[in-house]
Amino acid sequence: MSVAAVARKELRQISRDPRSLGVLVVLPAVMTLLFGRVLSLDVRHVPIGVLDRDGTASSRALVAALVSGEYFDLRSYAASEADLDRLLLTGKATLAMVVPKGLERALLAGEHPAVRVVVDGSNATSAQTALGYAEQYLTEAGARLEGERPAPLFSTRLRVLFNPELASDRFLLPGLMAMILMVSATVATALSIVKERETGTMDQLRVSPLSAAEVVLGKALPYSVLSLLAAVLVMATAWLAFGLAVRGSLLLLLLLATLFVLGAQGLGLVISSVTSSQQVAFQLATYATMLPSFVISGFIFPLRSMPKALQLLSAVLPVRYFISGLRAVVLKGAGFEVIWPEVLALALFCTSMLALAIWRLHRTQL
Amino acid sequence: MSSPPTVEVRQLTRRFGNLVAVDALTFDAYRGEILGFLGPNGAGKSTAIRMLCGLLAPTSGGARVAGVDVVAQPDEVKRRIGYMSQRFSLYGELRVSDNLELYGALYGLHGSRLQERLDWAISLTKLSDRVGARVDELAGGFRQRLALACALLHEPEVVFLDEPTGGVDPVMRRAFFQLIDDLAAGGITVLLTTHFLDEAEYCHRVAIISRGRLVAAGTPTALKELLAGQVLVDVRSDRPGAALTALASLPELAQVELFGAGVHARAATGVSETQALMATADALHRAGVPSSPPAAALPTLEDVFLDLVGHEEVSP
């Protein structure tokens, strides 16, 4: 009953403070909308520089072929190698192509002239992707110029499941959603106990017969409801703005989100119990959630290619299980029989965090 | 007093590392009594109160509050006491009624019993027309009363008031002590801490605490009798600082202190009242400090306090 009294108090406090309500419920969806738009590992509109030493119809056809799609934009023609180097150095071009003198003549003579492509490798990921595209375009264009297409030795039929366009935003959105929810849910409660300590109301609660468990649950439950509301808005945003429809069961998704959010709130309360000011609590909560959810959660960087130590560390991160569960349910339509390990891990996280928060609060009472 | 004490404190001690915050405190308080802890900031008053509320475990010694051992059953103690902190800790963004309902619910009040206590609290706080107002919109005096009402909703036998009048104007302070007096008359034991000497005068008994130790305890009158036989000289002046300088090195006076718009001085041993008054008037005249004629004064609690505790900071 006292849990209900504390929960009612928390809800009243939040509802009297529209700004914090907005930050907790609406901001995650706004963030998803904002960052989801730029969230892409796909390479488009790569600026290229061209040094055309041939200056024939064939060389121009080659350049035209390269910039025909949306992947490459012709930024400028260079007059010399030095000019081309400068374009790469200043970042005006990411990719440079040198068409050798005598290209057309060589082609007509049935030779296989080499076209040199230089790429700015300072962003390794996009450089690799751009090279791949360039190679593909040039091979096709070359074949057209030669007027023949070499028959492949064997044919391959590729089929991509779950994300047929291999769009990276499909893959990244669940991670982004998990990260935003992790940060917002943790920060929300991280501030709450410290705030009560700062204003002295914590002492007032402590002299009442309220137990530590009642304080923790009374705080975690109402915030979880709000964070779940935020999660629903985030899902809706991902669906409406980015067409990320949920293939699997919504109920299963809700279960994952509930366990995750409740655990994050427990973590926030633990942070709240070990800090003495709202400022420190905020910083600790953001550091503890932001970086791990970004770097070692499988959000962007595949876990399998990480050093063993980091893989082990990520194994205790709830956000990792939430992301993989989310991807499985949203993209693949997986059911409970597939993602039960994720559910189990999140349930463990949730109970251990709440227990830790209760223990901490009980201890600081003495 | 015939009935057993409602608060029994025996050798209560709390250390923080090497610091002894509360040192072997022993005293009793009875039903209907207002007991004031008087002492400078950091004397250990709040630490003692926290131990008696079951918030802090004593290092050694013990206490029984409302018949319950605070070491063995701190949770049971909490049900029987009310506590009001020096910050009137209320939820500022919540309404008056929200705060009252919360504390009522925390102590297990519900239904008609809760309503009855809420009505009582609202009439006590005289906030009937502002029940829907946010607490942080209320003036200090109202917040103080609301905090008190929250601490009394569950009808505790003992209430602890930790510096209950900070930031409240003198008129409100007087009204507040009237309220406290009514509560005590109703049978509640009130333990309060203060560093205001005038507030201590409202208490039935005062315990003077310095550096964690109980220095003296008794009714304000009994404490003042500790200075019986000593000659006190009172001088009123518009320039109390100058008066203090003029009198500080006078051999007839042992101790000279600023006292409101004037100076209190204690005559040195063996100096008669007449000698002391004449020497004082003479010194003030020589120094050209305009003042009232020096008069023999009755000791106040402040004189007692300064005599016992010395020159640690204290507000008049």
Side-chain angles (χ1 to χ4, degrees), chain A residues 212-270:
Chain A
E214 287 169 322
V215 176
V216 165
L217 291 180
K219 281 179 176 296
L221 289 176
Y223 276 106
S224 299
V225 171
L226 294 175
S227 286
L228 277 181
L229 215 60
V232 170
L233 285 181
V234 164
M235 297 280 179
T237 307
W239 177 50
L240 293 174
F242 308 112
L244 187 76
V246 178
R247 283 181 200 220
S249 144
L250 283 173
L251 217 58
L252 192 55
L253 213 55
L254 199 66
L255 174 70
L256 280 174
T258 307
L259 292 172
F260 175 66
V261 155
L262 210 52
Q265 247 113 40
L267 173 66
L269 290 173
V270 172

Side-chain angles (χ1 to χ4, degrees), chain B residues 24-80:
Chain B
L25 205 58
T26 297
F27 68 90
D28 288 334
Y30 295 86
R31 188 178 145 82
E33 186 176 35
I34 305 176
L35 176 65
F37 281 7
L38 179 65
N41 290 327
K45 295 169 296 186
S46 293
T47 309
I49 294 246
R50 291 171 70 79
M51 286 192 279
L52 296 180
C53 291
L55 286 183
L56 188 70
T59 311
S60 64
R64 295 180 78 79
V65 172
V68 180
D69 188 325
V70 297
V71 180
Q73 293 178 282
D75 288 338
E76 192 50 40
V77 168
K78 290 175 185 175
R79 283 176 213 284
R80 296 169 187 236

Side-chain angles (χ1 to χ4, degrees), chain A residues 306-320:
Chain A
M306 278 179 202
K308 268 280 175 287
L310 282 179
Q311 284 193 35
L312 280 175
L313 184 61
S314 88
V316 299
L317 284 186
V319 70
R320 163 190 172 163

Side-chain angles (χ1 to χ4, degrees), chain B residues 251-308:
Chain B
E252 284 84 355
L253 302 178
Q255 197 179 358
V256 188
E257 304 284 349
L258 285 175
F259 195 89
V263 164
H264 260 199
R266 207 174 70 217
T269 5
V271 177
S272 75
E273 186 179 310
T274 330
Q275 286 171 321
L277 290 176
M278 281 178 62
T280 306
D282 217 39
L284 288 170
H285 180 72
R286 270 200 314 270
V289 179
S291 74
S292 67
L298 289 173
T300 63
L301 268 183
E302 179 164 2
D303 297 310
V304 179
F305 188 85
L306 289 170
D307 190 57
L308 292 169

Side-chain angles (χ1 to χ4, degrees), chain A residues 16 195-196 198 200 204 365, chain B residues 55 83 87 91 93 98:
Chain A
R16 298 283 150 75
K195 188 180 163 203
E196 296 223 23
E198 280 181 355
Q204 210 65 51
Q365 245 169 330
Chain B
L55 286 183
Y83 169 81
R87 291 188 283 175
Y91 293 98
E93 61 272 63
D98 297 334

Side-chain angles (χ1 to χ4, degrees), chain A residues 28-40:
Chain A
V30 176
M31 295 288 214
T32 307
L33 193 62
L34 278 179
F35 292 113
R37 203 152 284 293
V38 295
L39 201 65
S40 172

